[in-house]
Amino acid sequence: MAVLFRGARTIDRDGPIDVAVTGHQIAEVGRPLEARGREVVDLDGALLLPAFVEAHLHVDKAWTWRPDLPALSLREAIAHWKTVKAHHTGEELRRRGRSLLDRLLRFGTTAARTHADVDGYVGLAAVESLLALRREYAGRFTLQVVAYASSAMTPRDPADLRLLEDAVAMGADVVGGVPNLDGDPRACIDVLLDVAMRHGRPLDLHIDEGPPRAGVWVEYLADRVLERRPAHSVTASHCCALSAVSDPEASRIIEKIRAAGISVVACPTTNLFLQEADAADPTWRGVTRIRSLRRAGVTVAIASDNLRDVYYPYGQGNMLETAWVAALAARLGPREVPALLDMVSTEAARAIGLGPWGLAPGAAADLVAFPGDAHLLADRPAPLLVMAAGRWVISPR
Ligand SMILES: [Zn+2]
């Protein structure tokens, strides 16, 4: 498909621009561009953005919220999930997954990294179902599947390690796990980094989701990455504990994260909901040091993590909503809206290792447009159009 978007407003340019798409890539950006046989879409000042990217999701858990299982802590949510997850695999999981991916597309999200539980409760069923969805949605939604060593297993155990390696061998894109909830976080990080390096996969860890008393393990992760220099990317999801250590300690850790080239994914919706859920009045804001990390040059993404499951009962599947919650949690004002939008699109794409993303020649033809006069994070309007890999998801009226 060849399309010419004319007269788009953008976040970072003063005047309107034209954007030409050929196949699944942006071919030209400038003003004025000639139609040259392309389908012309007159945007007339509408805001054109790179499509949104969910850098951290659990598609296998989505839509499993149950009113009889309210979680008052992360550990309680994990316990609830153990009681329900074995019933949520196979075709049932794929049905919920389709419902979520279709919804994400309608809100302008065209790519996501999903974690898929691997443990004795579900075996390889979640990975298998999500790999099937990845195939089913190829060409219209980019789905990365993380073989996620869940808290119900330990990769330090030989049988659990075999299961995790089987999940990777089946075709999972990324290796994941949750060292803070392992009996030996250091050894857990070592084993998972080793699996990722041996299989030539990126590593994406749930790390420091809880308070600092549970440990600040991202520093150990950064030390090991600096020492072993894996060829593939390393992502640290959550890193909430970083917000509760002293400023000098945070600076030291952030410098190591930067030097190690580790990307950070903040998941403010789930963290705000679960942290201190059992306190009379929660006081901890539960989001990492987004400003300091970015200022240091670390790639930071904002992601939704959970959607209407036993961990988090809310969520629309709309990245503008997630970015808005991040703005509140990290106190980012209207002048920082461009940065917030970057963290749910271009930076998120970089964090999970997608190809070029953004309004530039050679970048993916994954685009979303909104009414030009909307205040995106206050109005959170529906997209006027959505394009995924050069194909219409929502075509212009
Ligand atoms: Zn997660």
Side-chain angles (χ1 to χ4, degrees):
M1 195 154 70
V3 178
L4 175 61
F5 295 97
R6 256 197 193 138
R9 195 166 77 75
T10 60
I11 286 287
D12 52 358
R13 291 176 178 83
D14 284 338
I17 59 154
D18 300 345
V19 176
V21 161
T22 305
H24 59 275
Q25 278 189 333
I26 293 176
E28 288 180 85
V29 177
R31 177 89 173 165
L33 296 181
E34 285 171 29
R36 288 196 223 130
R38 299 160 172 139
E39 174 188 351
V40 176
V41 176
D42 195 351
L43 286 179
D44 198 19
L47 183 66
L48 188 66
L49 301 173
F52 301 132
V53 175
E54 274 281 14
H56 186 121
L57 270 187
H58 293 264
V59 175
D60 52 344
K61 298 181 170 99
W63 311 140
T64 58
W65 181 76
R66 276 171 45 172
D68 58 321
L69 293 174
L72 284 177
S73 66
L74 174 61
R75 281 194 183 275
E76 210 170 273
I78 289 168
H80 290 336
W81 179 234
K82 277 183 197 163
T83 68
V84 297
K85 69 172 155 185
H87 308 292
H88 285 287
T89 55
E91 183 47 40
E92 194 273 343
L93 189 159
R94 289 191 291 279
R95 183 182 54 73
R96 285 185 290 105
R98 283 182 204 110
S99 156
L100 175 57
L101 298 188
D102 292 346
R103 178 182 275 254
L104 294 177
L105 281 167
R106 286 199 301 277
F107 280 116
T109 297
T110 63
R113 172 177 283 183
T114 178
H115 296 254
D117 279 23
V118 177
D119 55 40
Y121 290 83
V122 292
L124 300 171
V127 170
E128 200 172 42
S129 295
L130 289 172
L131 289 175
L133 275 185
R134 188 183 72 183
R135 284 192 296 276
E136 190 181 321
Y137 277 75
R140 59 193 161 121
F141 191 100
T142 304
L143 188 64
Q144 292 182 354
V145 178
V146 183
Y148 171 56
S150 90
S151 58
M153 67 108 92
T154 171
R156 294 178 294 111
D157 174 272
D160 283 349
L161 178 61
R162 256 195 315 278
L163 194 62
L164 182 66
E165 300 215 55
D166 286 348
V168 178
M170 277 168 69
D173 304 281
V174 182
V175 174
V178 54
N180 290 68
L181 300 178
D182 192 283
D184 186 344
R186 279 190 191 84
C188 179
I189 289 170
D190 286 339
V191 173
L192 291 171
L193 181 58
D194 201 52
V195 173
M197 289 178 74
R198 244 181 312 113
H199 290 265
R201 300 289 206 281
L203 178 69
D204 189 335
L205 299 182
H206 287 61
I207 198 158
D208 303 342
E209 187 168 354
R213 66 175 180 275
V216 187
W217 298 105
V218 71
E219 184 171 18
Y220 181 77
L221 173 67
D223 285 338
R224 296 298 284 143
V225 168
L226 284 166
E227 203 179 301
R228 299 197 62 193
R229 298 280 175 190
H232 293 81
S233 65
V234 176
T235 306
S237 293
H238 296 294
C239 297
C240 304
L242 198 56
S243 69
V245 299
S246 69
D247 288 347
E249 196 177 348
S251 298
R252 186 191 70 230
I253 296 171
I254 287 171
E255 176 46 31
K256 285 188 184 178
I257 293 173
R258 185 207 60 77
I262 294 173
S263 301
V264 171
V265 182
C267 305
T269 45
T270 299
N271 289 144
L272 279 170
F273 184 73
L274 277 182
Q275 282 167 1
E276 295 191 305
D278 55 348
D281 296 294
T283 55
W284 194 25
R285 295 168 76 84
V287 68
T288 193
R289 293 183 184 240
I290 290 178
R291 294 191 209 180
S292 301
L293 284 161
R294 292 189 88 240
R295 215 176 295 132
V298 175
T299 297
V300 180
I302 293 165
S304 302
D305 199 356
N306 300 88
L307 283 148
R308 301 193 208 178
D309 59 23
V310 294
Y311 294 75
Y312 181 68
Y314 307 124
Q316 266 188 308
N318 179 355
M319 285 311 281
L320 292 179
E321 179 188 67
T322 303
W324 172 58
V325 173
L328 301 179
R331 203 337 191 145
L332 297 167
R335 271 200 262 173
E336 286 152 309
V337 167
L340 283 157
L341 293 173
D342 260 0
M343 285 188 276
V344 294
S345 60
T346 309
E347 269 194 66
R350 200 180 315 133
I352 64 168
L354 295 180
W357 208 266
L359 295 185
D366 287 58
L367 300 164
V368 58
F370 293 99
D373 57 353
H375 183 316
L376 281 194
L377 295 198
D379 296 329
R380 302 184 292 284
L384 297 171
L385 61 85
V386 178
M387 176 176 269
R391 290 158 60 172
W392 293 120
V393 175
I394 298 175
S395 57
R397 284 177 282 275

